[in-house]
Amino acid sequence: MSDITLGRYLFERLNQVKVQTIFGLPGDFNLSLLDKIYEVDGLRWAGNANELNAAYAADGYSRVKGLSAIITTFGVGELSALNGIAGSYAEHVGVLHIVGVPSISSQAKQLLLHHTLGNGDFTVFHRMSQNISQTTAFIKDINSAPAEIDRCIREAYIFQRPVYLALPANLVDDLVSTDLLKTPIDLSLKANDEEAENEVVQTVLELVAKAENPVILVDACASRHSVKEETKALIDATQFPTFVTPMGKGAVDEQHPRFGGVYVGTLSKPDVKAQVENADLVLSVGALLSDFNTGSFSYSYKTKNIVEFHSDHIKIRNATFPGVQFHSVLKKLNEQIGPIVKDYKPYPVPKVSLTTAPTAPETPLTQEWLWTRISSWLREGDVVITETGTSAFGIVQSRFPTNTTGISQVLWGSIGYSVGAALGAVAAAEEVDREKRVLLFVGDGSLQLTVQEISTMIRWGLTPYIFVLNNAGYTIERLIHGEKASYNDVQPWDHLSLLKTFGAKDYESIRVSTTGEFDKLANDEAFSKNSKIRLVEIMLPVMDAPLNLVKQAQITAATNASK
């Protein structure tokens, strides 16, 4: 074909950058566009239960594959997705948000169409999205449309932020040249200013040469902006003790002999806290210093020798180098750092116990026991998704196997996020490796916000493990305020009937209440094989929580009450 429709052009471009599952919902302004998905081999239309879930799913998919796409309809659909889109913006996740909008002629005539505010303003929702988008495009001209589509895909990928793309219903069937597809979208980073980059590298090398107790601290953006390999090379070259933040879990191989654990300020284990805070040089990679990621801003370095490597700037002590990206800086630093650290003598890093204390089989499950035991059940390549609440705090005390991906929404913290994200992650994992396990840990309260997306998992034969931590309501909220308040209660559900209710045929639903029951499950080879969708209800005491969450809740409660 010499020409293809604009709609097909969009999906061919997404397919070229390995986005193979498209999330979203149909609406009359995007229906013609959705027809074009089925014209591109290898693409799947997920068909979500609602737009918020679709946005969460796109976020989870992108965290596994590096980019995702969601399609909503004008007004009612796109607004429903914006909470999820805002979370992707806050946490540096590349999502292309495609919105089917009314035809150009309808806009020009300011028709009083459904899904509008009734005032003839067809750009109002576009303007709402601008503050939570890296860039936006509202297509009006078929001649410039392909270039705008390419620009949007590139910026979503390069900057790892959502991008808003509005496509009028009448343009998706207009034709563009097929030849445009022969030139791949340029996804390469622009080169750093050489003089500024060299100054950064030399200054860091000088700091390293003088340091006696340096540490490396790795955070979320090391994963989001794809410098995990460069970070590993830095650890290998220097042998400096290395730590991650809660958001950084999965960014470093936790089986590496120089990995020391998770640093969360005052909420850290004492030996981790002491080693990080007594360092005379901190090399920080990809920091996102939010309250829950830092123990309510309780980082307490005793040195001013801090180097922050970011995707779009470098900060050394009080000096900032805008526009200097950490990809090539880290590569150049790794090439030159060997002679500087040749006399460095590595000292021991903190160790974590992965063995649970012996208990009688009938011992009731607790959070402390559970998260330690989970470490020995995880296996290489797993994708671990934890919900805001006890799960996100509990997973901190686990130790990941090599090549494990951790997904949590520590900064944005939208309750219910993890269920939609699990759908996206398991769809992406299936495209990468059908044997890869996706494990969701979600509280019974959070599950009720987004439970419908389990039906989408079943629809596509996806096989996640869904661990429902049943502690009778919103325990994280109870810890902060209102321990016995009814607003922290939820209606009890029959969790073991959920998979059947949503139409699953080959599934497993299990309830465990004791350490013996959990051990039996974890030791079952058949259960550990990624062969079917499973829901495991884990019964826990109402106010039982990981110790770091208890401490964080006390800090948060005090902060909320302060005048």
Short mmCIF file of all heavy atoms in Angstrom, two decimals, residues 306-351:
data_model
loop_
_atom_site.label_atom_id
_atom_site.label_comp_id
_atom_site.label_asym_id
_atom_site.label_seq_id
_atom_site.Cartn_x
_atom_site.Cartn_y
_atom_site.Cartn_z
N ILE A 306 27.56 15.25 48.51
CA ILE A 306 26.48 14.47 47.91
C ILE A 306 26.43 14.77 46.42
O ILE A 306 26.38 15.94 46.01
CB ILE A 306 25.13 14.80 48.56
CG1 ILE A 306 25.18 14.53 50.07
CG2 ILE A 306 24.00 14.01 47.91
CD1 ILE A 306 23.99 15.06 50.83
N VAL A 307 26.45 13.72 45.62
CA VAL A 307 26.32 13.85 44.17
C VAL A 307 25.00 13.22 43.77
O VAL A 307 24.75 12.04 44.06
CB VAL A 307 27.47 13.14 43.43
CG1 VAL A 307 27.30 13.31 41.91
CG2 VAL A 307 28.82 13.69 43.87
N GLU A 308 24.13 14.01 43.14
CA GLU A 308 22.84 13.50 42.68
C GLU A 308 22.87 13.36 41.16
O GLU A 308 23.02 14.35 40.44
CB GLU A 308 21.71 14.44 43.08
CG GLU A 308 21.50 14.56 44.58
CD GLU A 308 20.34 15.48 44.93
OE1 GLU A 308 19.53 15.78 44.02
OE2 GLU A 308 20.26 15.91 46.09
N PHE A 309 22.73 12.14 40.68
CA PHE A 309 22.66 11.86 39.23
C PHE A 309 21.19 11.77 38.84
O PHE A 309 20.48 10.88 39.31
CB PHE A 309 23.37 10.55 38.90
CG PHE A 309 24.83 10.50 39.26
CD1 PHE A 309 25.25 10.01 40.48
CD2 PHE A 309 25.79 10.96 38.36
CE1 PHE A 309 26.60 9.95 40.81
CE2 PHE A 309 27.15 10.90 38.68
CZ PHE A 309 27.55 10.40 39.91
N HIS A 310 20.74 12.66 37.98
CA HIS A 310 19.35 12.67 37.53
C HIS A 310 19.29 12.54 36.01
O HIS A 310 20.29 12.71 35.31
CB HIS A 310 18.65 13.96 37.96
CG HIS A 310 18.51 14.10 39.45
ND1 HIS A 310 17.54 13.44 40.17
CD2 HIS A 310 19.22 14.83 40.35
CE1 HIS A 310 17.65 13.74 41.45
NE2 HIS A 310 18.66 14.58 41.60
N SER A 311 18.08 12.27 35.51
CA SER A 311 17.90 12.08 34.07
C SER A 311 18.10 13.36 33.28
O SER A 311 18.42 13.31 32.08
CB SER A 311 16.51 11.51 33.78
OG SER A 311 15.51 12.43 34.20
N ASP A 312 17.91 14.51 33.92
CA ASP A 312 18.02 15.77 33.18
C ASP A 312 18.93 16.80 33.84
O ASP A 312 19.02 17.93 33.39
CB ASP A 312 16.62 16.39 32.98
CG ASP A 312 15.90 16.63 34.30
OD1 ASP A 312 16.46 16.30 35.37
OD2 ASP A 312 14.77 17.15 34.26
N HIS A 313 19.62 16.42 34.91
CA HIS A 313 20.59 17.32 35.53
C HIS A 313 21.44 16.55 36.53
O HIS A 313 21.08 15.45 36.95
CB HIS A 313 19.91 18.50 36.23
CG HIS A 313 19.21 18.15 37.50
ND1 HIS A 313 17.96 17.56 37.52
CD2 HIS A 313 19.58 18.29 38.81
CE1 HIS A 313 17.59 17.36 38.77
NE2 HIS A 313 18.54 17.79 39.58
N ILE A 314 22.56 17.14 36.87
CA ILE A 314 23.43 16.58 37.90
C ILE A 314 23.62 17.65 38.96
O ILE A 314 23.80 18.84 38.64
CB ILE A 314 24.81 16.17 37.34
CG1 ILE A 314 24.67 15.29 36.10
CG2 ILE A 314 25.66 15.50 38.41
CD1 ILE A 314 24.07 13.93 36.36
N LYS A 315 23.59 17.24 40.23
CA LYS A 315 23.85 18.17 41.31
C LYS A 315 25.02 17.66 42.15
O LYS A 315 25.00 16.50 42.60
CB LYS A 315 22.61 18.35 42.20
CG LYS A 315 22.79 19.41 43.27
CD LYS A 315 21.50 19.60 44.08
CE LYS A 315 21.69 20.67 45.15
NZ LYS A 315 20.47 20.84 45.97
N ILE A 316 26.03 18.49 42.33
CA ILE A 316 27.20 18.14 43.12
C ILE A 316 27.32 19.15 44.25
O ILE A 316 27.55 20.34 44.01
CB ILE A 316 28.48 18.13 42.28
CG1 ILE A 316 28.34 17.18 41.08
CG2 ILE A 316 29.68 17.73 43.14
CD1 ILE A 316 29.53 17.19 40.14
N ARG A 317 27.11 18.67 45.47
CA ARG A 317 27.03 19.57 46.62
C ARG A 317 25.98 20.65 46.31
O ARG A 317 24.82 20.33 46.11
CB ARG A 317 28.40 20.14 46.96
CG ARG A 317 29.45 19.04 47.23
CD ARG A 317 30.74 19.59 47.78
NE ARG A 317 30.57 20.02 49.17
CZ ARG A 317 31.55 20.54 49.90
NH1 ARG A 317 32.76 20.71 49.37
NH2 ARG A 317 31.33 20.89 51.15
N ASN A 318 26.38 21.91 46.24
CA ASN A 318 25.40 22.98 45.98
C ASN A 318 25.38 23.43 44.52
O ASN A 318 24.65 24.35 44.17
CB ASN A 318 25.70 24.18 46.88
CG ASN A 318 25.46 23.87 48.34
OD1 ASN A 318 24.52 23.16 48.67
ND2 ASN A 318 26.31 24.38 49.21
N ALA A 319 26.18 22.79 43.69
CA ALA A 319 26.26 23.19 42.27
C ALA A 319 25.35 22.30 41.42
O ALA A 319 25.36 21.08 41.56
CB ALA A 319 27.69 23.08 41.78
N THR A 320 24.58 22.91 40.55
CA THR A 320 23.68 22.17 39.66
C THR A 320 24.11 22.34 38.22
O THR A 320 24.46 23.44 37.78
CB THR A 320 22.23 22.66 39.83
OG1 THR A 320 21.82 22.48 41.19
CG2 THR A 320 21.28 21.89 38.92
N PHE A 321 24.09 21.25 37.46
CA PHE A 321 24.45 21.25 36.05
C PHE A 321 23.19 20.90 35.25
O PHE A 321 22.93 19.73 34.96
CB PHE A 321 25.56 20.24 35.78
CG PHE A 321 26.86 20.55 36.48
CD1 PHE A 321 27.04 20.23 37.81
CD2 PHE A 321 27.90 21.19 35.80
CE1 PHE A 321 28.22 20.52 38.46
CE2 PHE A 321 29.09 21.48 36.45
CZ PHE A 321 29.26 21.15 37.78
N PRO A 322 22.39 21.90 34.90
CA PRO A 322 21.13 21.63 34.18
C PRO A 322 21.39 21.05 32.80
O PRO A 322 22.34 21.45 32.11
CB PRO A 322 20.47 23.01 34.11
CG PRO A 322 21.58 23.99 34.27
CD PRO A 322 22.61 23.34 35.13
N GLY A 323 20.54 20.13 32.39
CA GLY A 323 20.63 19.56 31.05
C GLY A 323 21.66 18.47 30.90
O GLY A 323 21.72 17.82 29.85
N VAL A 324 22.47 18.21 31.92
CA VAL A 324 23.46 17.13 31.85
C VAL A 324 22.78 15.85 32.32
O VAL A 324 22.40 15.73 33.48
CB VAL A 324 24.70 17.45 32.71
CG1 VAL A 324 25.70 16.29 32.62
CG2 VAL A 324 25.36 18.74 32.24
N GLN A 325 22.62 14.89 31.41
CA GLN A 325 21.86 13.67 31.69
C GLN A 325 22.76 12.58 32.26
O GLN A 325 23.92 12.45 31.86
CB GLN A 325 21.20 13.18 30.40
CG GLN A 325 20.34 14.24 29.71
CD GLN A 325 20.20 13.99 28.23
OE1 GLN A 325 19.19 13.44 27.80
NE2 GLN A 325 21.18 14.36 27.45
N PHE A 326 22.19 11.77 33.15
CA PHE A 326 23.04 10.82 33.84
C PHE A 326 23.47 9.61 33.02
O PHE A 326 24.43 8.93 33.38
CB PHE A 326 22.46 10.38 35.18
CG PHE A 326 21.11 9.69 35.18
CD1 PHE A 326 20.46 9.28 34.02
CD2 PHE A 326 20.47 9.44 36.39
CE1 PHE A 326 19.23 8.64 34.05
CE2 PHE A 326 19.24 8.78 36.45
CZ PHE A 326 18.62 8.39 35.28
N HIS A 327 22.82 9.31 31.89
CA HIS A 327 23.21 8.14 31.11
C HIS A 327 24.68 8.18 30.71
O HIS A 327 25.47 7.30 31.08
CB HIS A 327 22.35 8.03 29.84
CG HIS A 327 20.94 7.63 30.08
ND1 HIS A 327 19.96 8.53 30.42
CD2 HIS A 327 20.33 6.41 30.04
CE1 HIS A 327 18.82 7.91 30.58
NE2 HIS A 327 19.01 6.62 30.36
N SER A 328 25.06 9.19 29.96
CA SER A 328 26.43 9.23 29.47
C SER A 328 27.42 9.63 30.56
O SER A 328 28.59 9.25 30.52
CB SER A 328 26.55 10.17 28.27
OG SER A 328 26.15 11.49 28.61
N VAL A 329 26.95 10.40 31.57
CA VAL A 329 27.84 10.74 32.69
C VAL A 329 28.27 9.47 33.42
O VAL A 329 29.47 9.28 33.71
CB VAL A 329 27.14 11.71 33.67
CG1 VAL A 329 27.90 11.79 34.99
CG2 VAL A 329 27.04 13.10 33.06
N LEU A 330 27.32 8.59 33.70
CA LEU A 330 27.66 7.36 34.40
C LEU A 330 28.57 6.46 33.57
O LEU A 330 29.50 5.83 34.08
CB LEU A 330 26.38 6.61 34.80
CG LEU A 330 25.57 7.24 35.94
CD1 LEU A 330 24.20 6.57 36.07
CD2 LEU A 330 26.32 7.14 37.26
N LYS A 331 28.31 6.41 32.27
CA LYS A 331 29.17 5.60 31.39
C LYS A 331 30.60 6.13 31.40
O LYS A 331 31.57 5.37 31.54
CB LYS A 331 28.61 5.60 29.96
CG LYS A 331 27.35 4.78 29.79
CD LYS A 331 26.84 4.84 28.35
CE LYS A 331 25.57 4.01 28.19
NZ LYS A 331 25.01 4.10 26.81
N LYS A 332 30.74 7.43 31.28
CA LYS A 332 32.08 8.03 31.26
C LYS A 332 32.75 7.87 32.63
O LYS A 332 33.97 7.62 32.70
CB LYS A 332 31.99 9.50 30.86
CG LYS A 332 33.34 10.16 30.59
CD LYS A 332 33.18 11.56 30.00
CE LYS A 332 32.71 11.51 28.55
NZ LYS A 332 32.75 12.86 27.92
N LEU A 333 31.98 8.02 33.67
CA LEU A 333 32.53 7.86 35.02
C LEU A 333 33.04 6.43 35.22
O LEU A 333 34.13 6.21 35.77
CB LEU A 333 31.43 8.17 36.04
CG LEU A 333 31.83 8.18 37.52
CD1 LEU A 333 32.86 9.26 37.80
CD2 LEU A 333 30.59 8.39 38.39
N ASN A 334 32.27 5.45 34.75
CA ASN A 334 32.68 4.05 34.89
C ASN A 334 33.96 3.75 34.12
O ASN A 334 34.77 2.92 34.54
CB ASN A 334 31.56 3.13 34.41
CG ASN A 334 30.38 3.11 35.37
OD1 ASN A 334 30.54 3.31 36.57
ND2 ASN A 334 29.18 2.87 34.84
N GLU A 335 34.14 4.42 32.99
CA GLU A 335 35.35 4.22 32.19
C GLU A 335 36.61 4.74 32.88
O GLU A 335 37.71 4.24 32.66
CB GLU A 335 35.20 4.90 30.82
CG GLU A 335 34.16 4.26 29.91
CD GLU A 335 33.81 5.13 28.72
OE1 GLU A 335 34.38 6.25 28.62
OE2 GLU A 335 32.98 4.71 27.89
N GLN A 336 36.43 5.75 33.73
CA GLN A 336 37.60 6.42 34.31
C GLN A 336 37.82 6.16 35.79
O GLN A 336 38.86 6.51 36.35
CB GLN A 336 37.46 7.94 34.09
CG GLN A 336 37.36 8.34 32.63
CD GLN A 336 37.21 9.85 32.45
OE1 GLN A 336 37.74 10.64 33.23
NE2 GLN A 336 36.52 10.26 31.39
N ILE A 337 36.88 5.53 36.46
CA ILE A 337 36.94 5.45 37.92
C ILE A 337 37.86 4.36 38.45
O ILE A 337 38.32 4.41 39.60
CB ILE A 337 35.51 5.30 38.50
CG1 ILE A 337 35.47 5.82 39.94
CG2 ILE A 337 35.05 3.83 38.41
CD1 ILE A 337 34.05 5.97 40.48
N GLY A 338 38.17 3.36 37.62
CA GLY A 338 38.98 2.23 38.06
C GLY A 338 40.28 2.62 38.79
O GLY A 338 40.49 2.21 39.95
N PRO A 339 41.15 3.41 38.16
CA PRO A 339 42.41 3.79 38.82
C PRO A 339 42.19 4.60 40.10
O PRO A 339 43.01 4.55 41.02
CB PRO A 339 43.12 4.64 37.76
CG PRO A 339 42.51 4.22 36.46
CD PRO A 339 41.09 3.89 36.78
N ILE A 340 41.09 5.32 40.17
CA ILE A 340 40.82 6.18 41.34
C ILE A 340 40.49 5.34 42.57
O ILE A 340 40.82 5.72 43.70
CB ILE A 340 39.65 7.15 41.05
CG1 ILE A 340 39.93 7.96 39.77
CG2 ILE A 340 39.40 8.09 42.23
CD1 ILE A 340 41.13 8.85 39.84
N VAL A 341 39.84 4.18 42.38
CA VAL A 341 39.40 3.37 43.52
C VAL A 341 40.24 2.10 43.70
O VAL A 341 39.87 1.23 44.48
CB VAL A 341 37.90 2.97 43.34
CG1 VAL A 341 37.02 4.20 43.33
CG2 VAL A 341 37.69 2.14 42.08
N LYS A 342 41.41 2.02 43.03
CA LYS A 342 42.19 0.78 43.08
C LYS A 342 42.66 0.43 44.49
O LYS A 342 42.87 -0.74 44.82
CB LYS A 342 43.38 0.86 42.13
CG LYS A 342 44.38 1.95 42.41
CD LYS A 342 45.51 1.94 41.38
CE LYS A 342 46.47 3.10 41.56
NZ LYS A 342 47.04 3.22 42.87
N ASP A 343 42.83 1.44 45.35
CA ASP A 343 43.30 1.17 46.71
C ASP A 343 42.17 1.12 47.74
O ASP A 343 42.42 0.99 48.93
CB ASP A 343 44.32 2.25 47.13
CG ASP A 343 45.58 2.22 46.28
OD1 ASP A 343 45.99 1.11 45.88
OD2 ASP A 343 46.13 3.29 45.99
N TYR A 344 40.92 1.24 47.26
CA TYR A 344 39.78 1.21 48.18
C TYR A 344 39.62 -0.20 48.77
O TYR A 344 39.64 -1.19 48.05
CB TYR A 344 38.50 1.61 47.46
CG TYR A 344 37.24 1.40 48.27
CD1 TYR A 344 36.93 2.24 49.34
CD2 TYR A 344 36.37 0.35 47.99
CE1 TYR A 344 35.79 2.05 50.10
CE2 TYR A 344 35.22 0.15 48.73
CZ TYR A 344 34.93 1.00 49.78
OH TYR A 344 33.80 0.79 50.54
N LYS A 345 39.47 -0.27 50.07
CA LYS A 345 39.28 -1.55 50.75
C LYS A 345 37.82 -1.68 51.18
O LYS A 345 37.38 -0.99 52.10
CB LYS A 345 40.19 -1.64 51.98
CG LYS A 345 41.69 -1.57 51.67
CD LYS A 345 42.16 -2.79 50.90
CE LYS A 345 43.68 -2.84 50.80
NZ LYS A 345 44.24 -1.74 49.98
N PRO A 346 37.07 -2.54 50.50
CA PRO A 346 35.65 -2.68 50.85
C PRO A 346 35.46 -3.12 52.29
O PRO A 346 36.18 -3.97 52.79
CB PRO A 346 35.17 -3.76 49.88
CG PRO A 346 36.14 -3.74 48.76
CD PRO A 346 37.46 -3.38 49.37
N TYR A 347 34.49 -2.52 52.96
CA TYR A 347 34.17 -2.93 54.32
C TYR A 347 32.79 -3.59 54.32
O TYR A 347 32.00 -3.40 53.39
CB TYR A 347 34.25 -1.74 55.29
CG TYR A 347 33.49 -0.50 54.89
CD1 TYR A 347 32.17 -0.30 55.29
CD2 TYR A 347 34.09 0.48 54.11
CE1 TYR A 347 31.48 0.84 54.94
CE2 TYR A 347 33.40 1.63 53.74
CZ TYR A 347 32.09 1.81 54.16
OH TYR A 347 31.41 2.94 53.80
N PRO A 348 32.49 -4.37 55.33
CA PRO A 348 31.25 -5.18 55.32
C PRO A 348 29.99 -4.32 55.20
O PRO A 348 29.93 -3.20 55.72
CB PRO A 348 31.29 -5.91 56.66
CG PRO A 348 32.73 -5.91 57.05
CD PRO A 348 33.29 -4.62 56.53
N VAL A 349 29.00 -4.86 54.52
CA VAL A 349 27.70 -4.20 54.42
C VAL A 349 26.72 -4.92 55.34
O VAL A 349 26.93 -6.10 55.69
CB VAL A 349 27.17 -4.20 52.97
CG1 VAL A 349 28.09 -3.40 52.06
CG2 VAL A 349 27.02 -5.63 52.45
N PRO A 350 25.64 -4.26 55.75
CA PRO A 350 24.65 -4.93 56.61
C PRO A 350 24.05 -6.16 55.92
O PRO A 350 23.89 -6.20 54.71
CB PRO A 350 23.59 -3.85 56.82
CG PRO A 350 24.32 -2.56 56.61
CD PRO A 350 25.32 -2.85 55.54
N LYS A 351 23.74 -7.14 56.72
CA LYS A 351 23.10 -8.35 56.21
C LYS A 351 21.67 -8.43 56.72
O LYS A 351 21.34 -7.88 57.77
CB LYS A 351 23.88 -9.60 56.66
CG LYS A 351 25.33 -9.63 56.18
CD LYS A 351 25.42 -9.62 54.65
CE LYS A 351 26.87 -9.66 54.18
NZ LYS A 351 26.96 -9.53 52.70
#
